[in-house]
Amino acid sequence: MKKLFKILIPAILVIIWNSPDSSGQPGRQSFISPEVKEGRNVTFRFLAPNAKEVKLSTQFIKGQQTMTKEDNGVWSITMGPVDPDIYPYCFIVDGIQVADPRNSWIFPNEGFQNSLVEIPAENPQVYSIQNVPHGTVSYRYYYSNELGTRPVLIYTPPGYEEAKNEKYPVFFLLHGTTDTEETWTKVGRANIILDNLIAQGKAKPMIVVMPYGRAFPLISKESGSLRNWDNLQEFQKDFKNYILPFVEKNYRVRTDREGRAVAGFSGGGGTSLYIGLGNPDLFAYVCGYAPGMRANEFDRNNTVPFADPELTNSRLKLFWLGCGKEDGLYGVLQEYLKVLDEKKIKYQTFITTGGHTWMNCKKYLNETAQLLFRD
Amino acid sequence: MKKLFKILIPAILVIIWNSPDSSGQPGRQSFISPEVKEGRNVTFRFLAPNAKEVKLSTQFIKGQQTMTKEDNGVWSITMGPVDPDIYPYCFIVDGIQVADPRNSWIFPNEGFQNSLVEIPAENPQVYSIQNVPHGTVSYRYYYSNELGTRPVLIYTPPGYEEAKNEKYPVFFLLHGTTDTEETWTKVGRANIILDNLIAQGKAKPMIVVMPYGRAFPLISKESGSLRNWDNLQEFQKDFKNYILPFVEKNYRVRTDREGRAVAGFSGGGGTSLYIGLGNPDLFAYVCGYAPGMRANEFDRNNTVPFADPELTNSRLKLFWLGCGKEDGLYGVLQEYLKVLDEKKIKYQTFITTGGHTWMNCKKYLNETAQLLFRD
C-alpha cells in the first residue's frame, strides 16, 4: 500500500483501473477523508504506515491534535461537534505539513497548502450550496504590456445572459497576501454567497470581479522583501489601465462611481482602501475586511481622503471596516479608526469575534454585499 | 523558521504582513520553487530542516531523485535540460508524498496531490499561454434530482458573446478516474489549446463542456469497489437528463449529431466510447484518449456499434483512438482494435511514445480538436 503513494500517477491510474470491479474486495485500501458525519462530527484520515507521529492542524480548534494509527497504517481522528463553517486544515506528519491527498478541495495559496472541509449546519447558511439559481464564475485572461497575461475571475449573477440590455453594478473583490484569484470563490464562496443573497432579495444583482490582486507574486525572485508600496502602485496601474477597461469592454457594467464598489481581505484590504479612497471618482463604496495596514503608513496611503474629509464624506456612500477582536490586525485598525475620528471621516464598523480567518471573511462579504448599490 | 510552517494560517498572514518592508532583509526565509531557468533547467526547493531524506518525484524522469539539504534547511535539486512540457511533480519527504507548498499550481485530483511545472519551449507550443484572443472558462452548476448540485466547466471560444445569432458545435470532454472537472483546464490546458488552434485557424470555434465525469466519486463510502458499470449507467443518465439539456438551454449550441463530439482520457475515455458509440443519434465524433477498457467488457460496452457495424461506419464522421506505446492500457487497446477489425468497424489511431500521462493527453486533444466538425 505504501508503494502506491510513492509511485507516479500513470502507474496509480493503471492500478486503479485494473482493480477488481464490484467484487466487494477492493484492490486497494479505500478510505474517505474528511468524512463528515451526523451530529457535526468529522473524521480525518491519512495513510502513513511508517510515520512516527501524525497530527491534525485545523482552524476550528487551537493547537495540534494527535491522531491515532490503525493496524492498516491509516492515522485518524474524529472531532466534534464542530460549529458549522468551512475550515482549512492540514496534517503534520513527522513535522511536515501536508494537505489531505484524499480531498480535492484545496485552499488556493502561494505560500502554504491546506485542505478545506465544510461542517454543514442544520439549516443552510448563506455560503451553503443550495438549489437556487446560480450565477456563473468565468475564468478570463487580460493582457498587460507590463505584466503579461493575467488571470481574473468574474461572477455574473443569475439572469445576466438573458437581461440583454441591463447594466449591472460592479464589485471588485481582492484576496489576501499569498492568496490567488481563486481564493474568494474556493474558500470565501463569494459566488455562492451572492447567489443566495440575490435569491433572497437581500443583495442587488451585481457583477463581482476577482483579479489576481498583486502586481508581483509575494514569493518571487525579486520580492525577497515585500515591496508593498511598489505593489500598490503597480497594482493600481494594472487596475486602471487593464482590469477596469477589460471589464467595461466585456461586461454590461455601470460606469458611474455609484455603480462601483471595492473590498478586500487582509493585504487586499489595504489595497482596497488605498484604491477605493484614493479614487473617489471611481468608487462610492469602499470596504476593508481585516485590512492590512501599518500605522506609520496611514498618512502616505490616505493622501486623498485626508486632504478633504468633508468632500470624502460627501462622496462615499459606504465606508465599511470589519475585523475580528482576536485578529492580529485588530490593533492597527483601532489606531486607524482614531485617526479617522480626528479627521472627522465617517465610517461604519463591524467587529466580530474570532481572528484573521476566512470564516470571518465570509461574514464580512455577507454583511457588505447587502449594503452595496442601495441608491 | 520551522515554526512558521507548523502554525496556522492567521498567524502566517500576520507574520507575513508584519515582515519588514523593502528592508532588503526579509523577515522570513524567502525562496522560490519551482524556479525555471534558462537552458530548460529547473530548480525545486522544499523547506524541511529536520527531515532525514527529501526526494523529487516527477514525470520527466524515471525514479526518485535525491535532493540536497542546504544550511538553511532548504532541500533543493536542479534538473535539466528538460524537454518542454507541463509535468506533475511532488516531494517525498521521509517517505511522505507532499505537493510543493510554494507553488499554487496544483493537479486537481481526488486521490493524490501533485504540483505542476511548465518547462517553456523556445517557440510557444500549442498549450502555451500566448497573447491571442482567449475564450472564457465558465464554472457552472446544474441540479440533478438524483445527484444534487453538480459542477461543470464550459469553454466558450473568443467572440462567442458578440456572435449573438451563431450556433456553435459542442465538444464533451471527460477527465480520467480520480481527476475532477478542473483537470482538463488546469493540467490539460484544454482552453489554451483551443484558443491557440482557433487563433491559427486550425480548429473550428467550438464550445467545450467539461463535467465532473463520474456519477459517484471514486473514493466514497459506497464505492470501496469501483462500480464502473453502475457509474457508466448513472453518468449516462446524468448526461442525457441534465448535462445536455443544461448546455442546450444556456448556450447557443448546435443540436444535430454532426455538431456534437465526445472524448475522454483513461476512465473518461472508456466513458466517452460507451456514451459516444452507444448513442449514434447524439454523436458523430467519438474519441478515446488512452481509453480505460477491459477485454471481457468489450461486448457488454459495445452493444450498439457491434450490432450493426455498417450503420456505425456510415454514421460516425470520426472514430479516433490514441495511446502511448508505454501506456499500461496500450495492450487492451490493441485487443480492442483487433475486435474492431473483425467487426469491420472503421477507426483511426494515433500511437505516440510515452505512457499514461497528461503530457500525451494534450497531444491527443491537439490532434483531435483539428479533426472535429469538418463538414
Side-chain angles (χ1 to χ4, degrees):
Chain A
M1 223 16 245
K2 186 184 155 204
K3 209 178 153 200
L4 181 60
F5 282 79
K6 281 198 171 185
I7 53 182
L8 288 174
I9 296 154
I12 291 177
L13 289 180
V14 170
I15 286 170
I16 289 174
W17 189 259
N18 290 327
S19 296
D21 185 8
S22 310
S23 66
Q25 295 292 325
R28 66 200 184 89
Q29 204 152 14
S30 180
F31 63 89
I32 311 164
S33 182
E35 185 183 359
V36 179
K37 300 167 175 179
E38 282 192 19
R40 297 188 276 109
N41 291 299
V42 53
T43 299
F44 301 91
R45 296 185 177 91
F46 185 77
L47 178 72
N50 296 329
K52 289 191 193 110
E53 184 185 68
V54 180
K55 294 185 171 186
L56 170 74
S57 174
T58 166
Q59 290 192 9
F60 60 70
I61 188 165
K62 282 181 186 167
Q64 299 178 0
Q65 311 300 312
T66 301
M67 296 172 70
T68 308
K69 188 178 170 180
E70 294 159 23
D71 289 343
N72 55 5
V74 176
W75 298 70
S76 74
I77 186 170
T78 299
M79 312 280 299
V82 179
D83 283 345
D85 212 322
I86 295 168
Y87 298 97
Y89 72 95
C90 65
F91 302 116
I92 314 288
V93 185
D94 291 335
I96 300 297
Q97 179 175 322
V98 188
D100 187 343
R102 288 299 173 109
N103 182 357
S104 61
W105 191 12
I106 296 273
F107 190 129
N109 194 278
E110 295 178 335
F112 60 82
Q113 262 144 31
N114 270 224
S115 302
L116 294 159
V117 62
E118 178 171 3
I119 309 293
E122 208 166 310
N123 300 311
Q125 302 293 294
V126 70
Y127 57 79
S128 307
I129 299 175
Q130 299 174 59
N131 186 16
V132 298
H134 291 289
T136 297
V137 177
S138 293
Y139 280 51
R140 305 290 304 250
Y141 292 108
Y142 63 95
Y143 186 77
S144 147
N145 291 328
E146 295 78 24
L147 300 170
T149 300
R150 309 249 302 167
V152 58
L153 269 56
I154 298 178
Y155 169 87
T156 44
Y160 173 80
E161 288 79 8
E162 291 75 32
K164 295 194 189 305
N165 296 313
E166 197 173 331
K167 292 204 167 189
Y168 288 77
V170 56
F171 181 24
F172 295 87
L173 192 53
L174 307 180
H175 58 72
T177 305
T178 77
D179 293 330
T180 79
E181 69 280 2
E182 292 189 292
T183 312
W184 260 115
T185 50
K186 297 218 165 167
V187 190
R189 288 260 175 96
N191 50 324
I192 301 297
I193 290 174
L194 265 296
D195 286 346
N196 289 330
L197 290 177
I198 292 169
Q200 294 166 26
K202 290 183 179 171
K204 298 255 181 184
M206 65 182 82
I207 286 174
V208 184
V209 178
M210 295 160 280
Y212 178 67
R214 292 185 66 86
F216 322 103
L218 180 67
I219 298 152
S220 79
K221 210 169 191 172
E222 300 76 23
S223 62
S225 57
L226 293 177
R227 299 206 303 174
N228 280 323
W229 179 247
D230 291 353
N231 181 64
L232 278 181
Q233 303 310 303
E234 291 306 312
F235 182 75
Q236 180 168 255
K237 276 187 221 162
D238 194 55
F239 178 80
K240 289 186 184 182
N241 296 340
Y242 300 105
I243 297 174
L244 188 58
F246 176 85
V247 170
E248 296 190 341
K249 185 183 167 200
N250 290 288
Y251 294 86
R252 284 176 274 110
V253 290
R254 284 171 57 180
T255 53
D256 57 313
R257 53 186 298 285
E258 302 194 346
R260 286 200 206 96
V262 63
F265 173 53
S266 191
T271 308
S272 70
L273 298 186
Y274 180 70
I275 290 188
L277 301 175
N279 295 283
D281 52 321
L282 294 182
F283 296 104
Y285 299 84
V286 179
C287 312
Y289 305 160
M293 300 184 287
R294 292 191 184 86
N296 63 359
E297 297 174 353
F298 286 164
D299 283 333
R300 184 193 70 183
N301 288 11
N302 288 275
T303 318
V304 174
F306 288 1
D308 191 339
E310 210 166 308
L311 183 63
T312 298
N313 287 335
S314 73
R315 304 199 76 183
L316 282 175
K317 295 192 71 108
L318 181 72
F319 179 21
W320 188 101
L321 295 158
C323 198
K325 280 188 179 169
E326 293 129 66
D327 192 313
L329 295 171
Y330 183 68
V332 71
L333 179 66
Q334 293 304 314
E335 291 185 63
Y336 186 58
L337 298 182
K338 266 185 225 163
V339 175
L340 293 178
D341 289 339
E342 284 163 21
K343 307 273 185 196
K344 299 201 167 85
I345 292 177
K346 289 180 197 157
Y347 56 84
Q348 71 186 70
T349 57
F350 184 76
I351 304 302
T352 61
T353 56
H356 200 69
T357 70
W358 278 86
M359 289 87 82
N360 267 342
C361 225
K362 294 197 296 297
K363 289 182 196 158
Y364 305 149
L365 175 60
N366 174 41
E367 191 71 17
T368 49
Q370 302 184 45
L371 302 172
L372 300 181
F373 314 124
R374 297 284 173 191
D375 297 328
Chain B
M1 221 20 242
K2 186 184 155 205
K3 209 179 151 201
L4 182 60
F5 282 78
K6 282 196 170 186
I7 54 183
L8 288 173
I9 296 154
I12 291 179
L13 290 179
V14 169
I15 285 170
I16 290 174
W17 189 260
N18 291 327
S19 296
D21 184 9
S22 312
S23 66
Q25 295 292 327
R28 67 200 184 89
Q29 206 152 12
S30 180
F31 64 88
I32 310 164
S33 182
E35 184 182 1
V36 180
K37 299 167 175 178
E38 283 191 17
R40 299 189 275 109
N41 291 299
V42 54
T43 299
F44 300 91
R45 296 185 177 91
F46 185 77
L47 179 72
N50 297 328
K52 288 192 193 109
E53 184 184 67
V54 180
K55 293 184 171 185
L56 171 73
S57 174
T58 165
Q59 290 192 9
F60 60 72
I61 189 164
K62 282 181 184 166
Q64 298 179 0
Q65 312 300 312
T66 301
M67 297 173 69
T68 308
K69 187 178 170 181
E70 295 160 22
D71 290 342
N72 56 6
V74 176
W75 298 71
S76 74
I77 185 170
T78 299
M79 311 281 298
V82 179
D83 283 346
D85 213 322
I86 295 168
Y87 298 98
Y89 71 95
C90 65
F91 302 116
I92 314 288
V93 185
D94 291 336
I96 300 298
Q97 180 175 322
V98 189
D100 187 345
R102 289 299 173 109
N103 181 358
S104 60
W105 191 12
I106 297 273
F107 189 129
N109 194 279
E110 294 178 337
F112 59 82
Q113 261 144 31
N114 269 225
S115 302
L116 293 159
V117 62
E118 179 173 3
I119 309 294
E122 209 166 310
N123 300 312
Q125 302 293 296
V126 70
Y127 57 79
S128 307
I129 299 175
Q130 299 174 60
N131 186 17
V132 297
H134 292 289
T136 297
V137 177
S138 293
Y139 281 51
R140 305 288 305 250
Y141 292 108
Y142 62 95
Y143 186 78
S144 148
N145 290 329
E146 295 78 22
L147 301 169
T149 301
R150 307 249 304 168
V152 58
L153 270 55
I154 297 177
Y155 168 86
T156 44
Y160 172 81
E161 288 79 8
E162 292 75 32
K164 295 193 189 303
N165 296 315
E166 197 173 332
K167 291 204 167 189
Y168 288 78
V170 56
F171 181 24
F172 295 87
L173 192 53
L174 307 180
H175 58 73
T177 306
T178 75
D179 294 330
T180 79
E181 69 281 2
E182 292 189 293
T183 312
W184 261 115
T185 50
K186 297 219 165 166
V187 190
R189 288 261 177 95
N191 52 325
I192 302 297
I193 290 174
L194 265 296
D195 286 346
N196 288 330
L197 290 177
I198 292 168
Q200 294 166 28
K202 290 183 179 170
K204 299 255 180 184
M206 65 183 81
I207 286 174
V208 185
V209 178
M210 294 160 281
Y212 178 68
R214 291 186 66 85
F216 322 102
L218 181 67
I219 300 152
S220 79
K221 210 169 189 170
E222 300 75 24
S223 62
S225 57
L226 292 177
R227 299 203 304 173
N228 280 324
W229 180 247
D230 291 352
N231 181 63
L232 278 180
Q233 303 311 302
E234 291 306 312
F235 183 74
Q236 180 168 255
K237 275 188 221 160
D238 194 55
F239 178 81
K240 289 187 183 181
N241 296 341
Y242 300 105
I243 296 175
L244 189 58
F246 177 85
V247 169
E248 296 191 341
K249 185 182 167 201
N250 290 287
Y251 293 87
R252 284 177 274 111
V253 291
R254 286 170 55 180
T255 53
D256 56 315
R257 53 187 297 284
E258 301 194 348
R260 286 199 206 97
V262 64
F265 173 53
S266 191
T271 309
S272 71
L273 298 187
Y274 180 71
I275 290 188
L277 301 175
N279 295 283
D281 52 320
L282 293 182
F283 297 103
Y285 299 84
V286 179
C287 311
Y289 306 160
M293 301 184 287
R294 291 191 185 87
N296 63 359
E297 297 174 354
F298 286 164
D299 283 333
R300 184 193 70 184
N301 288 11
N302 288 275
T303 318
V304 175
F306 288 1
D308 191 339
E310 211 167 307
L311 182 64
T312 297
N313 287 335
S314 73
R315 304 199 76 184
L316 281 176
K317 296 192 70 108
L318 181 72
F319 178 21
W320 188 102
L321 295 159
C323 197
K325 280 188 179 168
E326 293 129 66
D327 194 313
L329 296 170
Y330 182 69
V332 72
L333 180 65
Q334 293 304 314
E335 292 185 64
Y336 186 58
L337 298 182
K338 266 185 228 162
V339 176
L340 294 178
D341 289 340
E342 284 163 20
K343 308 271 184 199
K344 298 204 168 81
I345 292 178
K346 290 180 196 156
Y347 57 84
Q348 72 186 69
T349 57
F350 184 77
I351 304 302
T352 61
T353 57
H356 200 68
T357 69
W358 278 88
M359 289 87 83
N360 267 343
C361 224
K362 294 197 297 295
K363 288 180 196 157
Y364 305 149
L365 175 60
N366 174 41
E367 191 71 16
T368 49
Q370 302 183 45
L371 302 172
L372 300 180
F373 314 123
R374 298 283 174 192
D375 297 328

